[in-house]
Amino acid sequence: QEGMPQTLSSTSMFTPCGFSPHLHTSKEDEQGGLIFQDGNLTSASLDALIQHLIPTTDYYPEKAYIFTFLLSSRLFIEPHELLSRVCHKCIEQQRLDDPVLDKARIRKFGPKILQLLTEWTETFPYDFQEERMIGHLKDMIHRIAPCDEAYWKKMNQLLQTLNQKLAALSHGQEGIVKISPAVSDKLVAFKSKPPSIQREILSVCSDPYTLAQQLTHVELERLSHIGPEEFVQAFVHKDPLDGTKTCFSEQKKTSNLEAYVKWFNRLCYLVATEICMPAKKKQRAQVIEFFIDVARECFNIGNFNSLMAIISGMNMSPVSRLKKTWSKVKTAKFFILEHQMDPTGNFYNYRTALRGAAHRSLTAHSNREKIVIPFFSLLIKDIYFLNEGCANRLPNGHVNFEKFLELAKQVGEFITWKQVECPFEQDPNIIHYLHTAPIFTEDGLYLASYESESPENQTEKDRWKSLR
């Protein structure tokens, strides 16, 4: 995975309705501080963008704008501060501080502000783990509620849904079996294996189709916890216009994203461990063939993340050096898969396959056809390079909205994919094994590998000696 080629933009099929990211040079129009080119918003001051988010009695922002702005605004302003400013402007514009409220006017405005708050809580629920956010939200509704009883009900509904969502997300995070580091550190691989290691993958699941389906369960479960904002928060730098603090004074809120990357690494090591463990060459070859079939089925399902982890595990040196073992394997199928995930041309083959899966997903009739699980670290790299490759602000201090449209396009597509319900039945036994089976460290893998097929050259001999 070293030295992945850089990429600045993916030809993504997800375009938020009403936006085309392809801009042609043409005259610029300005409306209230927003700069448009060919009808597309390209840049504006932060104030103008906030104003554009705020509904009035006869205006409501486009859904795509709401998502794009809420996703990217956190590079400049913390969510609680943004919501506070939105509320203040609403109070001012709708004169919600007046001793006598203009009920007719507020009945036109009320449903729109409620709709905006609902969309925010549904798309970025993690923002509302903060007390201040809930405070602003309640304050806003308390001000308009005297004009219509239904607003109280709407607020309670909104808060209830939000609480359920947050509870489900945090419960889900705890539900993911946490592997204590103590377990994995004890696994020094000598041939006298601890009894816990005697259980191997084939005794738990000998059918490659079933294992590929269970891996897809794990992937979708973990994906479902990643908030779209984590992609942006992973790259929060200091905002040049505000030299005093980073936008996120607290620790970066990217724990689900990090946990997902750890899962990928665990799967790589699990595959390598399962291959290096058996003492007999024939058994090792059997495990390799089994994983090739699992990987192939992952490809067919659209689970590219597990596929890449399995291939990476097989390409680790302790595994790839087992020449006698590999000579017993029918490798043609493996080379086809490797070719699919070949990094040349900026992962051209994989990106083509991903587009195909994304297209299938759009026209799908069943949940099974909807599954698209991208190779995750490449997705993060794409977003990273998109972020590094263009400035957040233009020289005149304007927010570079064009960049955020591209960002929203990539993250928006991911959101569609992570919402797919897993169509396969869950097998708790296999899933438990995937999360808890002991894995060797890198040194452990080399030891097991040299035990299986002794060192070939001086470098390997020296390494084996130092490991022992």
Side-chain angles (χ1 to χ4, degrees):
Q1 317 253 213
E2 300 317 324
M4 275 194 190
Q6 302 190 2
T7 165
L8 274 177
S9 126
S10 77
T11 46
S12 154
M13 296 176 46
F14 177 91
T15 306
C17 45
F19 279 122
S20 150
H22 306 294
L23 297 157
H24 318 287
T25 44
S26 73
K27 66 177 184 24
E28 296 193 343
D29 317 307
E30 185 166 354
Q31 309 165 8
L34 304 171
I35 307 290
F36 288 87
Q37 253 180 318
D38 286 353
N40 294 303
L41 177 55
T42 56
S43 76
S45 67
L46 187 58
D47 280 340
L49 290 171
I50 294 174
Q51 186 57 59
H52 196 53
L53 180 71
I54 294 172
T56 63
T57 49
D58 50 12
Y59 163 75
Y60 189 75
E62 287 177 294
K63 205 175 170 68
Y65 176 77
I66 297 172
F67 175 67
T68 304
F69 185 60
L70 289 182
L71 176 70
S72 302
S73 58
R74 57 197 73 238
L75 290 166
F76 305 97
I77 179 172
E78 290 191 40
H80 72 88
E81 207 180 315
L82 175 61
L83 184 54
S84 162
R85 281 171 71 171
V86 167
C87 292
H88 281 299
K89 287 196 171 186
C90 287
I91 291 166
E92 231 169 78
Q93 288 161 18
Q94 303 303 326
R95 299 199 287 279
L96 296 177
D97 270 344
D98 287 6
V100 179
L101 294 174
D102 176 347
K103 290 197 172 183
R105 178 192 175 115
I106 288 169
R107 282 206 187 99
K108 279 188 188 159
F109 166 73
K112 295 198 170 81
I113 188 69
L114 283 167
Q115 175 62 29
L116 180 69
L117 294 170
T118 304
E119 283 190 46
W120 194 335
T121 55
E122 281 172 353
T123 319
F124 300 97
Y126 289 123
D127 284 355
F128 292 84
Q129 280 173 317
E130 235 191 293
E131 275 306 303
R132 287 179 285 191
M133 291 291 283
I134 300 285
H136 295 314
L137 187 144
K138 285 182 174 168
D139 175 62
M140 190 67 235
I141 297 172
H142 279 235
R143 286 169 185 275
I144 61 171
C147 298
D148 194 329
E149 277 295 295
Y151 296 163
W152 290 115
K153 206 171 138 193
K154 191 83 181 147
M155 173 173 85
N156 286 326
Q157 234 174 337
L158 191 151
L159 290 173
Q160 208 180 343
T161 313
L162 178 63
N163 284 331
Q164 284 168 344
K165 197 157 189 175
L166 286 171
L169 289 167
S170 70
H171 172 69
Q173 285 164 302
E174 288 152 24
I176 288 174
V177 187
K178 294 219 174 11
I179 317 302
S180 70
V183 175
S184 51
D185 291 347
K186 285 195 197 110
L187 300 172
V188 186
F190 292 108
K191 269 301 167 214
S192 54
K193 298 193 188 72
S196 66
I197 243 179
Q198 296 298 1
R199 239 178 125 203
E200 81 294 358
I201 188 78
L202 289 170
S203 68
V204 180
C205 174
S206 56
D207 175 41
Y209 292 92
T210 307
L211 188 62
Q213 293 179 357
Q214 297 309 304
L215 284 168
T216 305
H217 247 294
V218 175
E219 299 278 353
L220 285 170
E221 158 77 11
R222 285 175 169 258
L223 278 185
S224 69
H225 297 128
I226 298 172
E229 71 284 352
E230 294 192 41
F231 289 103
V232 175
Q233 277 156 202
F235 309 124
V236 169
H237 299 307
K238 276 193 164 63
D239 183 1
L241 289 192
D242 176 13
T244 51
K245 59 179 179 84
T246 51
C247 300
F248 277 87
S249 32
E250 322 102 280
Q251 95 314 346
K252 287 194 187 154
K253 305 169 180 172
T254 52
S255 53
N256 299 297
L257 197 136
E258 286 157 25
Y260 190 50
V261 174
K262 279 195 182 124
W263 150 253
F264 178 92
N265 294 335
R266 173 174 167 78
L267 184 53
C268 293
Y269 274 87
L270 181 64
V271 169
T273 300
E274 295 285 346
I275 294 171
C276 291
M277 261 191 341
K280 294 194 170 67
K281 183 168 61 192
K282 191 177 158 188
Q283 285 170 305
R284 290 193 299 273
Q286 192 189 353
V287 176
I288 291 177
E289 292 197 329
F290 173 72
F291 274 119
I292 293 171
D293 289 337
V294 174
R296 220 168 111 178
E297 185 54 19
C298 285
F299 180 83
N300 294 336
I301 289 172
N303 177 357
F304 297 104
N305 203 51
S306 293
L307 164 65
M308 197 55 165
I310 293 170
I311 291 175
S312 305
M314 290 183 169
N315 280 327
M316 286 174 84
S317 314
V319 177
S320 60
R321 68 168 291 281
L322 298 171
K323 306 233 174 20
K324 293 175 184 142
T325 304
W326 280 95
S327 70
K328 297 251 171 266
V329 175
K330 301 185 191 72
T331 47
K333 287 192 282 191
F334 181 60
F335 293 140
I336 293 169
L337 287 174
E338 245 189 341
H339 179 66
Q340 282 295 349
M341 303 310 269
D342 181 2
T344 33
N346 188 10
F347 286 88
Y348 180 79
N349 297 346
Y350 157 69
R351 289 182 191 279
T352 308
L354 180 69
R355 284 291 124 242
H359 193 72
R360 173 183 74 181
S361 179
L362 285 176
T363 55
H365 298 297
S366 67
N367 269 352
R368 173 145 196 170
E369 294 171 328
K370 278 194 190 124
I371 298 172
V372 185
I373 300 168
F375 168 31
F376 194 65
S377 52
L378 186 60
L379 176 70
I380 293 178
K381 278 208 159 83
D382 284 352
I383 291 173
Y384 176 76
F385 286 123
L386 168 64
N387 190 56
E388 290 293 297
C390 332
N392 290 333
R393 289 201 191 254
L394 303 172
N396 66 359
H398 269 197
V399 170
N400 179 2
F401 203 73
E402 233 181 308
K403 168 179 174 174
F404 295 148
L405 283 173
E406 185 57 40
L407 198 62
K409 206 173 78 167
Q410 297 199 12
V411 176
E413 186 172 39
F414 168 78
I415 289 184
T416 320
W417 297 336
K418 86 178 188 109
Q419 286 166 343
V420 176
E421 289 277 314
C422 191
F424 310 118
E425 207 175 318
Q426 205 172 353
D427 184 323
N429 219 354
I430 299 174
I431 288 180
H432 184 74
Y433 184 86
L434 289 170
H435 283 310
T436 57
I439 50 175
F440 292 145
T441 58
E442 196 171 352
D443 286 350
L445 283 172
Y446 272 109
L447 266 173
S449 178
Y450 295 142
E451 294 273 351
S452 299
E453 296 187 19
S454 43
E456 301 250 302
N457 53 39
Q458 205 45 53
T459 324
E460 288 195 345
K461 281 178 185 150
D462 295 343
R463 177 154 198 176
W464 195 20
K465 205 167 157 187
S466 75
L467 283 174
R468 282 188 304 183

